Amino acid sequence: MANDNYLLEVKDLKKYFKVKAGTLHAVDGISFGVKKGETLGLVGESGCGKSTAGRAIIRLHEPTAGDVIFEGKSTLHYKGQDKKRMRQEMQIVFQDPYSSLNPRLNTFQLISDPLKVNKEVLGGESIENRVKTAMELVGLEQRLVDSYPHELDGGRRQRIGIARALALQPKFVVLDEPVSALDVSIQAQILNLLQKLQKDIGLTYLFIAHNLSVVKHISDRIAVMYLGHIVELTDYKTIFARPQHPYTQALLSAIPIPKVGLKRERIILEGDVPSPVNPKPGCCFAGRCPYAQGPCLESMPPLVEKEPGHFVACHFVQESADGIKLPAEITGKSPRKVAI
Ligand code: SF4
């Protein structure tokens, strides 16, 4: 049954690909909800499945199993007009605006393209007018209406990508690493623009990124992904102050602190990220987890709400007098750390 608090609900979503060596489990049963007007950050290393998850949610990749519920209705069986309407309401902004925009089209053509395919969203308004409004919304000067992507800087190109997504007036937008390909100074401009648009027109975002500082800046809640699974999900303050999953702890310990003289320890994970092709049974993190033992090799722990609003997928994280944590008998075997 759908949860009324959520605009979008993802239930046990899986996306597998057949490859020569077997089956690649890119997304292996993820579940979460996104509230209306909220930004949910989805973070993890390259190859953890976060972009595939974003694409499967809006059906750019057809999911292998699971369900995506949008405004209380399952979307995975939509066809024809229903699917077209879903695509208008759920849009995506891609990582690299240079490769995601057709170099042969100018700004007007790029933004008007989706409007020509979905004329019904115009409701009598002219395409010219809707393009003008979208350009104003994202801060693109009207003089650039005839410019081609190669004539623009990275920030302006990404503004076209955002205008293209917003021209159809969606309710939900997947932002797939929208600032990773941009210079640092332009990253801040685009992040501020995305926050302003969310406030002004009530958008809901799934913000995918590998940079935790960027995700912290924009997200209300953060989900951490590892090898196709969500291993921890909670509000952004809790995840930075009290991460509980051993992978989240290692990930956060690697963030550089821009303060001269401030020392702390970085958790060093042993081994490599395992292959997602034909994964072994057991916890997805067992091969690198310093606390792995018995049950970890037998079954993947489900993502469970261990304290209100704080979900963790670990067999051992449990309630204690001072909140949830890994018990002392587990953490007695402490991970390798180096000072940074
Ligand atoms: Fe580590 Fe075991 Fe917890 Fe997985 S279930 S994170 S291997 S302690």
Side-chain angles (χ1 to χ4, degrees):
M1 218 169 85
N3 184 325
D4 293 342
N5 292 326
Y6 295 129
L7 176 73
L8 178 102
E9 239 184 307
V10 174
K11 290 188 170 179
D12 202 19
L13 191 72
K14 294 180 182 163
K15 178 63 196 173
Y16 298 166
F17 297 96
K18 284 269 170 235
V19 293
K20 250 188 189 166
T23 307
L24 189 153
H25 293 222
V27 177
D28 210 359
I30 59 170
S31 301
F32 60 84
V34 191
K35 296 172 199 156
K36 193 172 183 312
E38 170 183 60
T39 299
L40 179 73
L42 189 58
V43 291
E45 302 165 75
S46 297
C48 71
K50 53 192 188 305
S51 289
T52 307
R55 286 163 199 228
I57 287 168
I58 60 168
R59 290 180 65 191
L60 286 183
H61 291 315
E62 282 301 333
T64 307
D67 206 353
V68 176
I69 295 166
F70 183 68
E71 295 190 310
K73 289 185 191 141
S74 170
T75 61
L76 292 196
H77 307 291
Y78 280 168
K79 287 191 174 81
Q81 281 305 315
D82 286 337
K83 190 173 175 187
K84 202 172 167 198
R85 192 173 33 77
M86 178 204 89
R87 284 269 163 80
Q88 291 160 11
E89 294 182 336
M90 300 165 83
Q91 282 286 310
I92 184 165
V93 175
F94 294 100
Q95 175 178 359
D96 183 357
Y98 202 63
S99 57
S100 66
L101 301 176
N102 185 337
R104 292 198 181 89
L105 303 185
N106 65 25
T107 304
F108 178 82
Q109 292 165 322
L110 286 164
I111 301 175
S112 62
D113 233 18
L115 293 167
K116 285 177 188 156
V117 180
N118 298 279
K119 279 203 177 107
E120 59 279 12
V121 301
L122 290 164
E125 190 183 350
S126 72
I127 287 189
E128 287 72 16
N129 207 38
R130 184 65 76 88
V131 171
K132 190 167 176 252
T133 310
M135 286 180 72
E136 277 168 11
L137 210 54
V138 300
L140 267 178
E141 304 95 314
Q142 295 297 324
R143 68 181 169 83
L144 302 175
V145 74
D146 296 320
S147 302
Y148 288 83
H150 72 273
E151 298 173 315
L152 304 172
D153 60 54
R156 287 198 174 98
R157 282 200 289 264
Q158 192 56 301
R159 283 173 199 263
I160 295 179
I162 298 170
R164 219 173 121 82
L166 298 190
L168 294 172
Q169 299 181 337
K171 294 176 181 162
F172 173 75
V173 184
V174 174
L175 300 162
D176 187 4
E177 305 239 19
V179 296
S180 305
L182 305 177
D183 292 344
V184 176
S185 58
I186 297 172
Q187 285 188 8
Q189 286 176 22
I190 297 295
L191 287 175
N192 291 340
L193 170 69
L194 290 169
Q195 281 181 313
K196 183 175 181 306
L197 290 171
Q198 183 173 44
K199 211 166 138 219
D200 293 351
I201 52 182
L203 289 167
T204 302
Y205 294 146
L206 178 66
F207 190 98
I208 298 169
H210 63 270
N211 183 334
L212 279 156
S213 315
V214 168
V215 175
K216 185 183 183 185
H217 180 77
I218 197 164
S219 307
D220 298 298
R221 292 186 302 143
I222 294 176
V224 179
M225 239 181 129
Y226 184 82
L227 212 68
H229 297 268
I230 290 182
V231 295
E232 187 158 5
L233 193 168
T234 186
D235 63 89
Y236 76 96
K237 281 188 186 153
T238 307
I239 210 139
F240 280 87
R242 293 189 296 111
Q244 293 304 321
H245 194 279
Y247 175 65
T248 317
Q249 291 171 349
L251 201 62
L252 295 183
S253 78
I255 301 176
I257 300 177
K259 208 168 185 183
V260 179
L262 191 67
K263 294 241 184 297
R264 65 189 176 121
E265 288 181 320
R266 175 177 174 180
I267 300 171
I268 303 295
L269 293 177
E270 309 284 349
D272 294 323
V273 180
S275 165
V277 179
N278 304 332
K280 290 185 196 152
C283 174
C284 63
F285 191 51
R288 303 177 80 199
C289 181
Y291 314 122
Q293 51 190 280
C296 309
L297 305 175
E298 285 159 22
S299 62
M300 174 66 206
L303 188 68
V304 173
E305 191 168 17
K306 304 271 181 175
E307 63 181 348
H310 193 165
F311 298 79
V312 188
C314 174
H315 286 305
F316 298 107
V317 172
Q318 57 184 238
E319 269 189 275
S320 71
D322 48 344
I324 59 167
K325 55 159 72 167
L326 281 159
E329 59 268 28
I330 297 285
T331 51
K333 187 188 164 197
S334 105
R336 189 159 80 83
K337 294 177 181 174
V338 291
I340 54 170

